[in-house]
């Protein structure tokens, strides 16, 4: 009987598959943030301040997650924030790998 390939093992593990799909979606969203974000995340417009999210009765469909007290769109800020979070995460991982490898070689 042939042993299943690593891809088959990954696809059978639902938690791992779900995690990989979510990570892929977040990375894709972060890479294409300028194309996906409906508004400039740093643009302040006080006339649009404190608009409630879409589930509220007074919601504006233009701003799905609403706006903050300076009129900045929360969805746009969330999409651009993913870029910074992923950059920090990958930088920490790379630095830790370099330090760990160096200490391992010394040991």
């Amino acid at each position: 009987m042939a042993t299943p390939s690593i891809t088959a093992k990954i696809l059978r593990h639902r938690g791992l598959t779900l995690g990989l799909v979510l990570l892929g979606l977040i990375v894709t969203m972060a890479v294409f943030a300028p194309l996906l974000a409906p508004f400039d995340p740093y643009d302040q417009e006080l006339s649009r301040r404190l608009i409630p999210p879409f589930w509220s009765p007074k919601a504006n469909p233009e701003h799905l997650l609403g706006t903050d007290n300076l009129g900045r769109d929360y969805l746009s800020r969330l999409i651009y924030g993913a870029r910074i979070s992923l950059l920090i995460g990958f930088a920490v991982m790379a630095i830790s790998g370099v330090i760990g490898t160096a200490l391992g070689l010394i040991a």
Side-chain angles (χ1 to χ4, degrees):
M1 179 174 186
T3 59
S5 68
I6 190 75
T7 307
K9 287 181 182 180
I10 289 173
L11 291 176
R12 274 190 286 162
H13 196 282
R14 291 184 185 183
L16 179 61
T17 305
L18 178 63
L20 288 174
V21 167
L22 284 175
L23 182 63
L25 286 173
I26 292 170
V27 168
T28 303
M29 180 185 67
V31 168
F32 295 109
L35 300 173
L36 295 175
F39 295 95
D40 181 10
Y42 306 109
D43 184 29
Q44 299 178 12
E45 190 174 326
L46 294 178
S47 64
R48 296 185 314 200
R49 64 189 295 233
L50 299 175
I51 294 174
F54 72 91
W55 57 84
S56 176
K58 299 179 184 178
N60 181 351
E62 210 174 59
H63 301 280
L64 290 177
L65 297 181
T67 59
D68 63 4
N69 59 349
L70 295 175
R72 299 174 296 195
D73 184 61
Y74 275 131
L75 179 60
S76 298
R77 294 179 64 76
L78 181 73
I79 291 171
Y80 272 88
R83 296 178 99 176
I84 297 168
S85 297
L86 288 172
L87 176 68
I88 290 171
F90 285 126
V92 166
M93 184 180 65
I95 292 169
S96 299
V98 168
I99 292 172
T101 302
L103 290 175
L105 289 172
I106 293 170

